[in-house]
Amino acid sequence: MTPLGIPTYSLVTLGGIVVGLGLLLWDVSIWWASHKKKLTAKSLRDLAPTALCFSYGTLLILCAGGIIGALADWSLWGSNEVGNVVLVYGVGTTTPTVTRATHLALTPGGHAVVILATVVLVAVTSRRGMRWDFVRPVFSGVSLGLAKSIAGAAGIVLAPSVSWLGDMIAGLL
């Protein structure tokens, strides 16, 4: 149980992986179709918001709990359920659990970085209006952050990096 008493479940099913990869492929396909002539620094720069929002979503699901962690957990539950329905009723397969055996946890400094990233995201969206193109990669990161497969590699890289950064900035090391 988390400090606020909000339960977290943090289970990923094959359905959640399908939804997370589908959302990510949606954005990458749109980007690829508009930049297929030549890969340049400018074309890669156009992919940066998607990568940053995906990373933010991955960090959200790695939160230990609280309100932000619970919202990410409920989003994960929703993507699991949607994906399970699509897999079971769409193609007739089962949806096993594919959660990583060891849970990556952020340190207190890492959680501080998540709060700061949330502030930046709210500032960007409040200035320009709701950015719906940010929603898909955030949900994709939430759906894939705890996966034990290659789809969950972002969590393995981001958790220690962000925890180290947050601890260094805050002076916790």
Side-chain angles (χ1 to χ4, degrees), residues 41-54:
K42 183 188 179 315
S43 66
L44 291 175
R45 188 179 65 207
D46 292 342
L47 191 59
T50 300
L52 290 172
C53 288
F54 175 81

Side-chain angles (χ1 to χ4, degrees), residues 17-82:
I17 297 293
V18 168
V19 168
L21 286 175
L23 291 171
L24 187 61
L25 287 174
W26 179 289
D27 283 334
V28 171
S29 298
I30 291 171
W31 170 80
W32 181 257
S34 62
H35 295 93
K36 63 183 175 185
K37 294 177 185 173
K38 192 175 183 182
L39 287 179
T40 62
K42 183 188 179 315
S43 66
L44 291 175
R45 188 179 65 207
D46 292 342
L47 191 59
T50 300
L52 290 172
C53 288
F54 175 81
S55 299
Y56 175 70
T58 301
L59 290 174
L60 288 179
I61 199 62
L62 296 175
C63 288
I67 295 169
I68 291 176
L71 290 173
D73 193 50
W74 294 333
S75 299
L76 175 61
W77 171 82
S79 69
N80 284 337
E81 291 302 313
V82 168

Side-chain angles (χ1 to χ4, degrees), residues 40-157:
T40 62
K42 183 188 179 315
S43 66
L44 291 175
R45 188 179 65 207
D46 292 342
L47 191 59
T50 300
L52 290 172
C53 288
F54 175 81
S55 299
Y56 175 70
T58 301
L59 290 174
L60 288 179
I61 199 62
L62 296 175
C63 288
I67 295 169
I68 291 176
L71 290 173
D73 193 50
W74 294 333
S75 299
L76 175 61
W77 171 82
S79 69
N80 284 337
E81 291 302 313
V82 168
N84 293 347
V85 167
V86 168
L87 285 172
V88 170
Y89 296 107
V91 293
T93 190
T94 60
T95 58
T97 301
V98 292
T99 309
R100 191 177 299 116
T102 56
H103 185 69
L104 296 171
L106 296 174
T107 62
H111 284 101
V113 170
V114 171
I115 295 295
L116 296 174
T118 303
V119 168
V120 170
L121 187 66
V122 169
V124 168
T125 57
S126 67
R127 175 111 168 112
R128 297 183 179 181
M130 183 59 184
R131 297 286 308 264
W132 291 104
D133 57 328
F134 287 0
V135 174
R136 282 187 306 272
V138 168
F139 279 127
S140 177
V142 167
S143 298
L144 299 175
L146 297 177
K148 66 180 175 183
S149 63
I150 292 174
I156 295 170
V157 173

